[in-house]
Amino acid sequence: MWGSAIAHQLSLRPGVRVVGTASTIDEALELARLKHPVVSLVDLMLAGDSGLRFVRTSQARSLATRSVIVTSEPTPWAISQAREAGAVGFVAKDDLMTGDNVWQVVEAVANGGQFYSETALNKHPIGPQGNGAAPTANPFDLTDQEVEMIRCFSRGMDTAGIARQLSIGHQTVRNKTRAIGSKLGVSGRLEIVSAALRLGIIVPPTQL
């Protein structure tokens, strides 16, 4: 519904052609391959998937589109992940309430610029040239090993497999699982993975 509303607003703008909307990341990638959109507005979370996968995959496949991530939760972690993936903008849905707001984003990106909304800038400032400064720490104080553990959870690995992968003991895996859950405010591996996907800490495992 949100995508259809945005598409309608853009279609009213003279000289703008909306090539399509998609309800899944795979549909969006196929549209980008066939229609060659200049700009793609991509929801961070779409049908249980991550918009970051669209950005990474479109880059890997050399699809000629410039991606802007759109979300209702512009966390610093998600913004930094979007930059690393190759997105040229990050916008809160609240900042796209009118057709003029949407066009401001699309026009800037179509002309080769970057666009980070006021909400995103307040969360994670960018440098004077528009290049995002590397974050000094993630907002959840997760270690690199803990992020890797979350990736292992997302792949369905059991305790023994994670212990082998990270060269740690079984009890250490269990202790770190509780610590990660505490940092994210959830409990259990499924909730950890769900929260990590929603926040942009990880993207779904996928074959490009």
Side-chain angles (χ1 to χ4, degrees):
M1 291 178 62
W2 179 85
S4 296
I6 293 296
H8 175 69
Q9 290 178 338
L10 285 172
S11 67
L12 299 176
R13 181 75 51 169
V16 174
R17 183 167 65 94
V18 178
V19 300
T21 61
S23 58
T24 69
I25 298 300
D26 289 330
E27 286 179 12
L29 287 166
E30 183 64 7
L31 265 176
R33 184 182 71 83
L34 294 173
K35 301 294 186 177
H36 312 291
V38 176
V39 178
S40 295
L41 299 177
V42 190
D43 202 326
L44 181 61
M45 294 303 298
L46 188 63
D49 207 337
S50 171
L52 297 175
R53 182 166 77 86
F54 175 89
V55 181
R56 296 182 200 279
T57 307
S58 63
Q59 294 275 315
R61 296 178 181 174
S62 299
L63 301 180
T65 189
R66 309 192 80 224
S67 300
V68 177
I69 291 291
V70 185
T71 182
S72 57
E73 299 185 38
T75 65
W77 184 280
I79 295 168
S80 66
Q81 289 293 300
R83 289 177 181 149
E84 289 179 15
V88 293
F90 197 105
V91 186
K93 287 184 178 180
D94 287 346
D95 294 318
L96 299 180
M97 300 303 290
T98 70
D100 286 342
N101 293 149
V102 178
W103 174 241
Q104 184 182 13
V105 176
V106 172
E107 183 180 37
V109 172
N111 288 331
Q114 299 187 22
F115 195 100
Y116 287 81
S117 71
E118 192 69 28
T119 304
L121 288 172
N122 289 338
K123 290 281 186 179
H124 198 73
I126 60 176
Q129 268 69 53
N131 298 318
T136 56
N138 68 68
F140 307 101
D141 197 29
L142 293 167
T143 66
D144 290 343
Q145 187 180 71
E146 288 170 338
V147 172
E148 184 58 33
M149 279 188 64
I150 297 174
R151 293 194 182 101
C152 291
F153 297 160
S154 73
R155 299 184 189 110
M157 295 175 64
D158 60 14
T159 298
I162 295 171
R164 287 194 300 272
Q165 174 91 1
L166 302 181
S167 300
I168 56 178
H170 291 198
Q171 188 58 48
T172 301
V173 172
R174 288 187 280 269
N175 291 343
K176 285 186 174 293
T177 300
R178 286 192 291 271
I180 293 169
S182 177
K183 290 178 180 182
L184 297 180
V186 297
S187 62
R189 295 184 182 184
L190 288 177
E191 289 189 17
I192 287 172
V193 171
S194 178
L197 287 169
R198 176 172 56 83
L199 296 166
I201 296 171
I202 63 168
V203 295
T206 184
Q207 297 265 336
L208 294 182

